[in-house]
Amino acid sequence: MGEFDLIARYFHRPTPRAVLGVGDDCALLAPRPGTQLAISSDMLVEGRHFFPDADPASLGHKALAVNLSDLAACGATPLAFTLALSLPQADEAWLAPFARSLLALADEHGCELVGGDTTQGPLNICITVFGEVPVVNGRSTALLRSGAQAGNDLYVSGTLGDARLALEVLRGQLDMPAALFAAAQARMDRPSPRVALGRALRGIATAAIDLSDGLLGDLGHILKASRVGATVHTDIATTLIALQAEDAWASAFIDQKMQLQCVLAGGDDYELAFTAPAALRDAVAAAALSAATPVTRIGHIDATRGLRLVDGAGDSLPNTYTSFDHFA
Ligand code: ADP
Ligand code: MG
């Protein structure tokens, strides 16, 4: 199978919304009047982001999911994406499940594959997504990192730390019952980008970010961009899915230190952290309901710079957690 057969077989799909999709030198998109394009790229590199024997279906899903998560953080509606793929060989047993799950997630979000590049080389998957945000009264409605204000509530969506829990089991640091491990591994391999929540929070949230490197590290980006500080209540550790399991297995077997490490600095969560005025709590709850995505209020924004951790009793805790940094 040559390069063009490969593209035709796996990646050339109808693109009814785009003006022009795969097959020419450029794809053509026509953003609707009164909207802005939101654009983001993310790369998955073998040995860095995934193990060499990683399941191709999970990779197809995750490669697009992490990009859609960036659109979610901006409150953008997905439109289209491009796929730059470097592959050791044109292996159909790899390509078929990869393309199937990639395109299934794309269809779920109405995001069309409009182009890309295909070369031979070490496995590397780079996706660029394009989304749309309305401009209202001359102002973008995109959610940014820079809008958090002192007094705002601080929220996270879904559950945190599950992917890290799965990673610790794979690393042999932790033992878990099979059913709980399967749930944690599904969170690691098949994150659900919170696109509906991001859209629903337009006009409500003052700042947002998606959590890829761990809550505290990513929250730090909001604090820096917004020139504010925050207080985080660490008893939100109960957001781990394993801690919500009925048999209460987790609280008995995962020690407190591991729980906090996973939740506060786990990485690979692909949930949203966002801030909103305290006066808009009902609007936040309505947005979460409309997006069928639970949200938890975990703290607040302070005028004083810096990140403060407090436990359930209100006592302060040292912040010794480090988030992921490729070059640290
Ligand atoms: P060019 O050399 O002009 O950049 P290519 O030969 O690389 O074009 O690609 C031919 C067409 O196939 C282009 O429209 C390109 O966008 C598309 N394409 C290439 N690789 C992929 C891919 N992995 N997924 C989707 N479209 C692709
Ligand atoms: Mg090319």
Side-chain angles (χ1 to χ4, degrees):
M1 183 171 46
E3 175 187 340
F4 299 103
D5 298 329
L6 185 162
I7 296 166
R9 181 160 334 161
Y10 295 107
F11 301 120
H12 196 163
R13 288 289 176 282
T15 52
R17 293 168 68 200
V19 177
L20 185 65
V22 169
D24 217 302
D25 291 307
C26 290
L28 297 174
L29 303 178
R32 287 179 301 174
T35 66
Q36 289 175 328
L37 275 183
I39 302 165
S40 181
S41 294
D42 260 304
M43 189 153 64
L44 290 188
V45 177
E46 181 183 289
R48 193 72 217 172
H49 300 97
F50 57 89
F51 299 115
D53 60 349
D55 166 38
S58 297
L59 284 178
H61 177 100
K62 191 162 179 176
L64 182 59
V66 302
N67 278 278
L68 291 172
S69 181
D70 285 317
L71 290 185
C74 284
T77 305
L79 289 177
F81 70 107
T82 60
L83 169 67
L85 196 57
S86 159
L87 291 169
Q89 67 261 328
D91 175 4
E92 301 202 39
W94 190 92
L95 276 161
F98 172 82
R100 201 180 309 120
S101 70
L102 174 86
L103 295 170
L105 183 66
D107 287 349
E108 205 181 294
H109 289 276
C111 194
E112 298 179 342
L113 177 55
V114 294
D117 199 24
T118 307
T119 88
Q120 200 264 326
L123 186 56
N124 186 331
I125 307 158
C126 182
I127 287 180
T128 299
V129 277
F130 303 85
E132 182 179 80
V133 278
V135 175
V136 176
N137 298 328
R139 292 186 54 174
S140 175
T141 58
L143 304 176
L144 304 181
R145 298 177 178 186
S146 52
Q149 288 164 356
N152 282 176
D153 292 329
L154 171 64
Y155 295 85
V156 293
S157 66
T159 63
L160 301 180
D162 304 315
R164 177 59 175 270
L165 212 51
L167 184 66
E168 295 297 334
V169 173
L170 292 174
R171 283 174 170 170
Q173 301 293 319
L174 195 69
D175 222 4
M176 279 177 85
L180 283 180
F181 174 61
Q185 196 175 28
R187 292 296 314 274
M188 177 167 74
D189 289 345
R190 307 264 178 150
S192 306
R194 302 304 192 187
V195 174
L197 179 64
R199 289 176 62 180
L201 288 171
R202 286 197 303 241
I204 299 170
T206 49
I209 193 167
D210 71 313
L211 301 178
S212 50
D213 297 333
L215 172 64
L216 297 186
D218 288 324
L219 174 58
H221 297 308
I222 287 187
L223 302 186
K224 187 163 181 229
S226 302
R227 302 159 180 271
V228 291
T231 301
V232 171
H233 293 268
T234 59
D235 40 319
I236 51 107
T238 52
T239 57
L240 272 168
I241 46 166
L243 294 183
Q244 296 172 343
E246 277 172 28
D247 60 7
W249 167 84
S251 40
F253 289 91
I254 310 174
D255 67 32
Q256 180 80 7
K257 198 164 147 253
M258 176 71 90
Q259 285 177 31
L260 288 176
Q261 177 65 40
C262 288
V263 170
L264 299 176
D268 256 8
D269 295 307
Y270 299 103
E271 295 292 350
L272 298 184
F274 62 95
T275 57
L280 295 184
R281 279 182 195 168
D282 289 347
V284 169
L289 197 64
S290 76
T293 307
V295 302
T296 308
R297 187 152 51 86
I298 60 163
H300 58 265
I301 297 298
D302 303 315
T304 311
R305 302 281 285 261
L307 185 55
R308 286 157 289 277
L309 302 182
V310 294
D311 65 16
D315 295 327
S316 65
L317 292 175
N319 180 1
T320 53
Y321 304 94
T322 50
S323 65
F324 193 75
D325 178 336
H326 282 280
F327 294 101

